[in-house]
Amino acid sequence: MSILIKPIITEKATADSELRNCYTFSVNTKANKVEIKKAVEAAYGVSVEKVRTINVRPDRSTKFTKTGIQHGKTNAVKKAIVQLAEGEMIDLYSNM
């Protein structure tokens, strides 16, 4: 089971990393905070102070087409916001 799926690089996440030393990752939906902390420390060689998780619900949509009503939904995802110790940082762009 891979815990870390990918880092989330958005305008809000980038501002968080620069100002608050917090990095956002998309993680496995069954992973807990302790597993996420160990995975980040092992992958990037940093010390983690705090882990906050967010379960994002799937978005449901309805489309009216010629063939009838089509229902769909996106996948549910889990995000983890990881706060690092003072003075440490992760260079996400060098690993890509």
Side-chain angles (χ1 to χ4, degrees), residues 7-95:
I8 297 175
I9 301 173
T10 59
E11 190 173 344
K12 184 175 181 179
T14 305
D16 237 10
S17 66
E18 292 172 356
L19 299 175
R20 296 183 187 88
N21 206 19
C22 295
Y23 296 87
T24 307
F25 295 93
S26 177
V27 295
N28 190 332
T29 54
K30 296 183 180 180
N32 61 28
K33 292 182 180 184
V34 176
E35 293 172 340
I36 294 168
K37 179 179 178 179
K38 289 179 183 177
V40 170
E41 288 177 345
Y44 296 103
V46 294
S47 59
V48 175
E49 282 188 353
K50 183 192 279 190
V51 177
R52 292 174 287 173
T53 59
I54 305 163
N55 285 312
V56 180
R57 64 175 170 74
D59 290 332
R60 298 183 185 276
S61 64
T62 304
K63 297 176 186 146
F64 299 96
T65 63
K66 289 181 188 178
T67 59
I69 299 174
Q70 301 292 323
H71 299 285
K73 72 178 184 91
T74 60
N75 293 331
V77 294
K78 187 172 192 176
K79 296 180 188 178
I81 301 172
V82 178
Q83 183 172 359
L84 301 181
E86 189 68 33
E88 299 208 9
M89 62 177 288
I90 297 174
D91 189 12
L92 297 174
Y93 300 105
S94 69
N95 293 339

